[in-house]
C-alpha cells in the first residue's frame, strides 16, 4: 500500500502547479480479498519540478503512476493536470489529452518490434496526425546517443538502447508531464546521468 513510508525528493525550477492529486484511493477486489494499493494519496507538483517516488517493491509506485497517467482509474479521488480534471473527461477526450500532454517511460519499454528506433520515437505524433519537428528529433537522437541506431529495429538493440528509445518516444511530443517507471534501470551510471539530464533539459524548455 502506498503510504507514509514512501517519500518524495524534489528539485524545484518553477512554482506553478502542473499536477494535483487529491485523496486518491485504488482498491483491487472486494471484502476480505480487497487489496488497498493506494490509500488517500494527496500531493501537488509545480511546473518544472522533478519528483522521485521512492518505496519498497509492491508499495504502489507503479499503480500511482498508472492512475496519474490515466492508464487506470482510481477507486476514489481526483487527478488534475494543468487544472483539468482528467477523470471528468469523456474517454475519447481523455485519450487525446493523454497522448498530447503525458509522456510515459515504461519499465518494460513497450516498443513496436516492426518499427525502427526513429519510427518508434515519432509514433505518438503519427497517431495525432502530426509531422515531427525534424530539428528536435535530431536533437533527441543525439542527446540519447541513438543517431547511428535510428534505422535499427528493437531486436537489434541492447536493453539500454531500447530504454533510451522509449525515453525519446516520451519526449517527442513535448508533453507537459513526463511519468517514468524506473527509467534508468537498464542503464549504466554514465548513461543514467545523461538520461536524467536530458529529461531535466526538456523540463526547462
Amino acid at each position: 500500500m502506498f503510504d507514509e513510508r514512501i517519500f518524495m525528493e524534489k528539485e524545484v525550477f518553477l512554482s506553478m502547479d502542473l499536477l494535483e492529486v487529491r485523496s486518491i484511493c485504488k482498491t483491487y477486489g472486494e471484502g476480505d480479498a480487497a487489496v488497498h494499493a493506494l490509500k488517500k494519496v494527496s500531493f501537488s507538483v509545480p511546473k518544472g519540478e522533478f519528483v522521485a517516488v521512492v518505496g519498497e517493491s509492491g508499495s504502489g509506485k507503479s499503480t500511482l503512476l498508472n492512475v496519474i497517467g490515466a492508464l487506470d482509474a482510481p477507486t476514489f479521488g481526483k487527478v488534475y493536470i494543468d487544472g483539468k480534471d482528467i477523470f471528468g473527461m469523456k474517454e475519447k477526450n481523455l485519450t487525446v489529452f493523454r497522448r498530447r500532454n503525458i509522456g510515459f517511460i515504461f519499465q518494460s519499454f513497450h516498443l513496436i518490434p516492426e518499427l525502427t528506433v526513429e519510427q518508434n520515437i515519432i509514433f505518438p505524433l503519427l497517431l495525432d496526425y502530426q509531422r515531427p519537428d525534424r530539428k528536435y528529433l535530431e536533437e533527441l537522437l543525439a542527446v540519447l546517443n541513438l543517431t547511428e541506431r535510428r534505422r535499427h529495429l528493437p531486436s537489434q538493440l541492447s536493453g539500454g538502447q531500447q530504454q533510451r528509445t522509449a525515453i525519446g518516444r516520451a519526449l517527442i511530443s513535448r508533453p507537459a508531464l513526463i511519468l517514468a517507471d524506473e527509467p534508468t534501470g537498464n542503464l549504466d551510471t554514465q548513461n543514467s546521468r545523461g538520461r536524467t539530464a536530458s529529461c531535466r533539459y526538456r523540463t526547462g524548455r
Side-chain angles (χ1 to χ4, degrees), residues 102-185:
I102 305 174
F104 293 94
I105 305 173
F106 297 101
Q107 189 174 354
S108 54
F109 315 144
H110 294 308
L111 300 178
I112 300 175
E114 296 82 10
L115 299 184
T116 65
V117 166
E118 181 174 327
Q119 291 169 337
N120 266 286
I121 289 177
I122 67 173
F123 188 68
L125 298 179
L126 302 181
L127 287 175
D128 219 17
Y129 302 101
Q130 298 183 37
R131 291 185 178 182
D133 179 334
R134 301 306 302 186
K135 181 179 179 180
Y136 182 53
L137 173 59
E138 295 300 326
E139 179 183 333
L140 276 180
L141 288 168
V143 168
L144 295 168
N145 196 24
L146 290 170
T147 301
E148 296 184 359
R149 294 284 181 173
R150 65 194 306 159
R151 311 295 182 198
H152 288 64
L153 298 172
S155 61
Q156 300 170 312
L157 304 176
S158 67
Q161 290 166 342
Q162 290 182 39
Q163 182 68 294
R164 299 199 310 265
T165 301
I167 292 171
R169 180 183 58 195
L171 299 177
I172 191 64
S173 60
R174 295 183 172 94
L177 177 66
I178 300 169
L179 300 175
D181 194 352
E182 299 189 24
T184 60

Side-chain angles (χ1 to χ4, degrees), residues 1-8 24 36-43 53-55 58-64:
M1 182 182 71
F2 189 99
D3 57 22
E4 67 276 7
R5 292 173 300 173
I6 297 176
F7 61 91
M8 297 180 178
I24 287 294
H36 303 287
L38 302 174
K39 189 175 182 180
K40 295 183 179 180
V41 179
S42 298
F43 61 92
V53 181
V54 183
S59 60
K61 301 185 300 297
S62 293
T63 300
L64 177 63

Side-chain angles (χ1 to χ4, degrees), residues 11 13 48 50 194-205:
E11 183 170 352
F13 294 89
F50 273 61
R195 301 302 77 79
T196 301
S198 68
C199 290
R200 188 186 305 276
Y201 171 69
R202 167 65 191 94
T203 303
R205 288 174 67 94

Side-chain angles (χ1 to χ4, degrees), residues 175-192:
L177 177 66
I178 300 169
L179 300 175
D181 194 352
E182 299 189 24
T184 60
N186 290 279
L187 306 178
D188 57 34
T189 301
Q190 182 176 356
N191 276 321
S192 294

Side-chain angles (χ1 to χ4, degrees), residues 43-87:
F43 61 92
S44 61
V45 179
K47 184 175 293 185
E49 184 171 288
F50 273 61
V51 177
V53 181
V54 183
E56 62 188 30
S57 178
S59 60
K61 301 185 300 297
S62 293
T63 300
L64 177 63
L65 291 180
N66 288 339
V67 171
I68 292 173
L71 295 177
D72 197 1
T75 305
F76 177 83
K78 292 182 178 292
V79 175
Y80 295 88
I81 297 177
D82 256 351
K84 299 177 178 64
D85 178 2
I86 63 174
F87 293 108

